[in-house]
Amino acid sequence: MRNILLLTAALGLTGLAAQAQVDSVRASTLPPAQQAEKLYNSGVAKFNQKSYRAALQDFDRALALRPDFAKAFYNRATTRYELKDYQPAVQDYDEALKLEPASGTAYFGRAQAREALKQPAEAEQDYSKAVEANAAYAPAWYYRGALRFEKADYAAAKADFDQAIKADPGYAYAWHDRGSAQRQLNNYPAAIQDYTKALALQPELLPALLNRAGTKRRAGDLKGALQDYADYLQKKQDNPVAYTNRGATRYEAGDYKGAAEDFGRAVALDATYAFAWNNRAAAYLKLEDYQKAEADASKALALNPQYGEAYLNRGHAREMLRNPTGACQDWRKAAELGLEIGTNYAANSGCGEGN
């Protein structure tokens, strides 16, 4: 009986060992395509968690198992883009497009990588391929429009922004940038409408408020421009350009004291802002504070010795401070820098050889 019991126990152990061996084999023998899919899904999850290095490893392993896996090439390219590895990203998009030549998203991704590599012509070609593949994909129209805007082809840029808005009427940035294209084309009422629409869609899109202010100023609506500048500066007080532009608008409206205050805020934020120093000099000239005007123009010239307008303003200040020699020298320098009016000032003030 003991022998039988021992034999039964031995048989039981043998059965367990065999069962364990079968389970182990089943767990480790997924077909390569399924393993690649599993690694791909893991990579996507890690990408969504912004664990880009870990995602890259999973996509690498997936492609080692399945070299014709177009989605893995595409997502590895996207991951490399996030890691700022732009040239390898382009190479992965190339492979994805070999496998799926009609992939608009791959063309779009490659365009973005090529932009990052400072290859605007190649990027524009890829955006064109992307919109050919999918005319309803608004970002491709938008980014091609932005490239065309940068090379001053404003009519073509506007046409692209038109298409982006058609594809996605809620695309605030497309409305904003179409407004900028309209502004460059001198279509000020249309530009103002586009900036207004962008702000309705995205109220915190402050560049639209700033650009609408500038467009209203160009259109002669100084009151409207000043209101937009005030609204912008209430929300953002660290932009010296905004203060300078409001100062220029106040200057045009005859508020020279307010203009000088705004230019002062600009140079307080950026002491190297020669344009603001010179503008405040012009405001001080209007306020008949000639010593301050001379000092500000001199500061602008210390920052930019080739600043012709600053020589003109300092010349006027020096003339009023009874320094005709200095005034004549400044006006002649302005003329040397291409401002012919400097010659006129010098002649009208009787600047001779001795001055």
Side-chain angles (χ1 to χ4, degrees), residues 70-134:
K71 289 193 300 182
F73 274 117
Y74 173 83
N75 281 281
R76 188 172 71 174
T78 304
T79 305
R80 284 175 161 167
Y81 180 88
E82 292 296 333
L83 292 168
K84 297 182 169 49
D85 295 335
Y86 300 123
Q87 190 58 51
V90 167
Q91 292 167 356
D92 275 348
Y93 284 125
D94 290 344
E95 294 301 321
L97 286 164
K98 286 178 186 177
L99 294 164
E100 293 183 354
S103 174
T105 53
Y107 278 117
F108 178 81
R110 191 171 69 177
Q112 296 264 284
R114 285 177 160 171
E115 271 206 76
L117 289 168
K118 310 299 183 188
Q119 299 171 353
E122 293 84 351
E124 185 175 344
Q125 290 174 358
D126 276 346
Y127 288 132
S128 297
K129 291 286 189 180
V131 298
E132 287 172 13
N134 182 6

Side-chain angles (χ1 to χ4, degrees), residues 203-254:
E204 295 308 310
L205 187 58
L206 296 185
L209 193 56
L210 194 60
N211 285 327
R212 188 176 69 179
T215 307
K216 286 179 177 178
R217 178 186 165 201
R218 287 192 186 185
D221 181 9
L222 300 184
K223 183 178 179 181
L226 288 170
Q227 183 59 60
D228 278 350
Y229 284 128
D231 291 344
Y232 176 90
L233 289 166
Q234 186 176 12
K235 297 177 180 179
K236 187 172 177 60
Q237 294 87 35
D238 62 350
N239 186 346
V241 174
Y243 282 112
T244 299
N245 288 343
R246 187 174 71 173
T249 308
R250 284 177 161 174
Y251 185 96
E252 291 174 12

Side-chain angles (χ1 to χ4, degrees), residues 43-55:
V44 170
K46 289 172 183 175
F47 179 91
N48 290 334
Q49 295 165 0
K50 301 186 186 303
S51 299
Y52 299 126
R53 292 290 176 192

Side-chain angles (χ1 to χ4, degrees), residues 96-334:
L97 286 164
K98 286 178 186 177
L99 294 164
E100 293 183 354
S103 174
T105 53
Y107 278 117
F108 178 81
R110 191 171 69 177
Q112 296 264 284
R114 285 177 160 171
E115 271 206 76
L117 289 168
K118 310 299 183 188
Q119 299 171 353
E122 293 84 351
E124 185 175 344
Q125 290 174 358
D126 276 346
Y127 288 132
S128 297
K129 291 286 189 180
V131 298
E132 287 172 13
N134 182 6
Y137 190 52
W141 291 109
Y142 172 78
Y143 281 100
R144 190 177 74 172
L147 280 177
R148 291 176 167 178
F149 185 95
E150 288 174 6
K151 64 180 184 180
D153 190 352
Y154 303 120
K158 177 190 172 298
D160 279 349
F161 297 138
D162 288 344
Q163 292 297 323
I165 290 166
K166 180 180 177 181
D168 180 2
Y171 201 160
Y173 284 94
W175 286 98
H176 172 273
D177 286 14
R178 189 175 74 172
S180 295
Q182 302 268 31
R183 177 177 172 176
Q184 292 295 335
L185 294 166
N186 298 322
N187 299 328
Y188 299 138
I192 290 167
Q193 289 177 356
D194 280 350
Y195 290 134
T196 300
K197 180 65 175 181
L199 286 164
L201 290 166
Q202 194 169 327
E204 295 308 310
L205 187 58
L206 296 185
L209 193 56
L210 194 60
N211 285 327
R212 188 176 69 179
T215 307
K216 286 179 177 178
R217 178 186 165 201
R218 287 192 186 185
D221 181 9
L222 300 184
K223 183 178 179 181
L226 288 170
Q227 183 59 60
D228 278 350
Y229 284 128
D231 291 344
Y232 176 90
L233 289 166
Q234 186 176 12
K235 297 177 180 179
K236 187 172 177 60
Q237 294 87 35
D238 62 350
N239 186 346
V241 174
Y243 282 112
T244 299
N245 288 343
R246 187 174 71 173
T249 308
R250 284 177 161 174
Y251 185 96
E252 291 174 12
D255 179 9
Y256 304 120
K257 183 175 183 295
E261 290 173 354
D262 275 344
F263 297 138
R265 292 187 181 99
V267 297
L269 288 167
D270 181 2
T272 68
Y273 197 179
F275 188 74
W277 285 106
N278 182 59
N279 280 1
R280 192 169 70 170
Y284 281 143
L285 283 173
K286 290 291 188 180
L287 293 168
E288 300 182 2
D289 194 336
Y290 303 118
Q291 287 185 337
K292 287 183 178 178
E294 182 187 27
D296 277 359
S298 295
K299 180 66 175 179
L301 288 166
L303 292 165
N304 180 6
Q306 304 302 306
Y307 197 168
E309 288 83 356
Y311 281 109
L312 289 179
N313 284 333
R314 192 172 70 175
H316 290 310
R318 285 178 167 177
E319 180 185 39
M320 300 307 295
L321 291 168
R322 294 181 173 79
N323 178 3
T325 300
C328 290
Q329 290 172 349
D330 280 345
W331 288 330
R332 289 196 186 102
K333 183 64 176 178

